[in-house]
Amino acid sequence: MNLQAQATYSPYSMLGLGEIENRDYGRTAGMSNLGIGVRDFDYLNIVNPAGISGLDSLKFIFDLSAAGKLSYFTRNGKTDDTFNGNMKKISMGFRLAPGWGISLGTRPFSDVGYQIYSEEPIEGSTETKSVYLEGSGGLYELYLSNGFKVTDNFSVGINTKYISGTLKQTENQSEYLFEKESRVSRFYNTFGIQYHTNGLTLGATYGYKQNISMDNKTTIYDNGYNLIQEEKDRSTDQFIPETFGAGFSHIRKKIIWGMDFQYQKWEGIDPGISSIKISDSYRINAGLGYTLGSNRFYRYRDQRQMQVGASFCKPYIQAGGGNAYNYSVSAGYSFPFSGSLFNLSVEYGNSLSAPANYIKESYFMLTFNCSIIDQWFKQRKFD
């Protein structure tokens, strides 16, 4: 099969459940989306729910994130580009009781978007036929995060997610048109712990392997779009990979810096394409933030903040028997306005190395995040 990079997001999003989201798109986007070892009194941490145990009792936080991505896909000297902009996260959170923080929201879990052209041999003939594949849709998660402070220095957390959505694929073979629609509905949990003392936070996360049942409907039409056949079945050949994460952050006066490491066990998924194999993946993120004009990072919300970050990863896609290795760099800027905190970041990513048959993606991404921080239960005194 000859893949052509005419994707809405990525031609590899046709595999499995689509392209899994691995970014938080939140306040630390400029620091390569650090989160496993990050906590603060008004930060809704979805990466490690143990972090929200540190929320302030007087704060109610409403968080919005959006992103736009300009991608370039290159293979064999041919380059195609695409742009996408979407809302990425809506969440809110507060401290429910001493040492107990809670957050709920919604965000994408995976994205599907591709257009693939191939020339397939006709059985019993030397001729070929044109086949067009087009995919769309994706999965979203509704989540409830709970973080609990077990001791003054140790916290635990759990993300309870309801994952739902529809994946669509259309296959046009000139004589026939195949439309496949797969619906997903599943609960899933991830867990986190943090140890925090004197500005240092150590964190770890875990997500178990979860098999996914998909309700499939395949509809076949002729070239006049007349219904020929409709079939329904239920499959369980996809899964959410087992995931391990570890990270830390350290705050000292104006500076915060830290690193995250995440490992995902993908082996076992059948890609359905002979030239592609699935392997385990990992990602390393590192970032640094600097607060202007203050003596503490994140503690004075009337100050501006600057961020930089870098990331290195091995994707789970193997093409032509080899692995690709990708990198990204990011920068961000935060500023307060009328009781809210606005965060802007830009990210650039590309491949350090890739096998000959790998479709390489380079991209620019702009992320916008707004944290509306309101006071609760504040008593006013009158003279």
Side-chain angles (χ1 to χ4, degrees):
M1 174 177 273
N2 181 24
L3 297 181
Q4 301 296 326
Q6 299 173 7
T8 305
Y9 289 96
S10 166
Y12 297 120
S13 67
M14 70 179 296
L15 306 177
L17 299 174
E19 191 173 60
I20 305 297
E21 284 283 6
N22 54 33
R23 297 177 179 86
D24 179 47
Y25 298 100
R27 189 177 299 173
T28 64
M31 295 189 289
S32 290
N33 291 278
L34 288 182
I36 297 177
V38 178
R39 65 187 288 116
D40 202 12
F41 71 98
D42 60 0
Y43 174 48
L44 302 182
N45 190 341
I46 183 62
V47 179
N48 189 343
I52 64 174
S53 64
L55 292 180
D56 192 309
S57 61
L58 298 179
K59 298 291 190 298
F60 177 86
I61 303 101
F62 185 73
D63 218 41
L64 292 170
S65 296
K69 185 179 182 182
L70 176 63
S71 298
Y72 299 90
F73 295 95
T74 302
R75 183 174 184 263
N76 296 332
K78 176 179 172 58
T79 300
D80 292 284
D81 62 87
T82 182
F83 176 81
N84 285 278
N86 291 289
M87 183 70 69
K88 290 297 183 180
K89 185 175 65 174
I90 302 175
S91 61
M92 60 181 178
F94 53 92
R95 195 176 85 171
L96 192 62
W100 179 9
I102 189 170
S103 174
L104 62 157
T106 181
R107 67 172 189 164
F109 180 82
S110 69
D111 294 310
V112 174
Y114 55 88
Q115 294 177 346
I116 298 172
Y117 168 78
S118 65
E119 288 287 339
E120 300 290 341
I122 299 176
E123 187 175 352
S125 172
T126 58
E127 297 181 355
T128 62
K129 61 180 178 180
S130 299
V131 177
Y132 296 88
L133 290 177
E134 185 172 354
S136 62
L139 305 181
Y140 283 80
E141 64 179 61
L142 299 172
Y143 65 86
L144 175 66
S145 301
N146 285 275
F148 305 93
K149 187 180 290 185
V150 180
T151 68
D152 288 341
N153 303 109
F154 184 74
S155 298
V156 299
I158 178 173
N159 286 326
T160 301
K161 306 178 181 183
Y162 176 69
I163 299 172
S164 180
T166 302
L167 313 178
K168 298 180 180 180
Q169 183 183 83
T170 300
E171 181 178 341
N172 191 335
Q173 297 188 9
S174 300
E175 298 90 355
Y176 300 100
L177 179 69
F178 299 83
E179 291 184 351
K180 182 177 181 180
E181 185 176 274
S182 301
R183 296 185 179 275
V184 175
S185 179
R186 189 75 186 187
F187 281 98
Y188 182 65
N189 298 291
T190 60
F191 309 91
I193 59 174
Q194 285 187 342
Y195 175 78
H196 34 89
T197 180
N198 297 323
L200 173 67
T201 301
L202 307 175
T205 57
Y206 176 73
Y208 52 85
K209 179 181 177 180
Q210 176 66 69
N211 292 323
I212 296 293
S213 297
M214 306 177 73
D215 293 318
N216 302 313
K217 182 178 75 171
T218 301
T219 308
I220 305 175
Y221 302 91
D222 62 18
N223 55 11
Y225 207 69
N226 299 307
L227 178 64
I228 297 177
Q229 185 178 349
E230 184 176 277
E231 298 178 351
K232 293 184 179 181
D233 65 75
R234 189 171 179 83
S235 64
T236 57
D237 56 348
Q238 304 297 340
F239 61 82
I240 299 172
E242 187 176 20
T243 304
F244 305 87
F248 76 90
S249 72
H250 185 255
I251 299 175
R252 181 173 176 81
K253 295 184 178 180
K254 297 184 177 184
I255 296 175
I256 179 174
W257 67 285
M259 295 183 67
D260 281 356
F261 174 80
Q262 187 183 72
Y263 185 88
Q264 292 184 318
K265 300 182 69 174
W266 283 98
E267 288 190 5
I269 287 184
D270 181 9
I273 302 175
S274 59
S275 61
I276 292 177
K277 293 184 179 180
I278 303 297
S279 64
D280 294 347
S281 68
Y282 62 82
R283 177 180 296 271
I284 302 171
N285 298 336
L288 180 146
Y290 179 79
T291 299
L292 303 172
S294 171
N295 64 354
R296 290 292 299 277
F297 189 86
Y298 278 166
R299 290 300 174 183
Y300 296 94
R301 296 302 185 217
D302 60 345
Q303 304 293 332
R304 295 162 294 152
Q305 301 157 6
M306 299 179 64
Q307 301 176 345
V308 293
S311 178
F312 174 83
C313 78
K314 182 182 88 69
Y316 58 87
I317 303 296
Q318 283 186 326
N323 291 311
Y325 295 93
N326 301 330
Y327 76 93
S328 66
V329 291
S330 58
Y333 182 74
S334 299
F335 58 95
F337 179 79
S338 187
S340 301
L341 184 64
F342 291 88
N343 308 278
L344 299 174
S345 69
V346 62
E347 178 181 326
Y348 172 76
N350 208 332
S351 296
L352 283 172
S353 64
N357 291 330
Y358 194 86
I359 299 176
K360 295 187 290 186
E361 179 188 10
S362 60
Y363 66 87
F364 293 92
M365 177 183 293
L366 180 65
T367 299
F368 169 79
N369 170 260
C370 175
S371 293
I372 302 172
I373 306 168
D374 197 12
Q375 293 277 359
W376 277 20
F377 312 118
K378 185 175 182 180
Q379 294 182 355
R380 297 185 180 182
K381 295 183 178 180
F382 299 92
D383 293 333

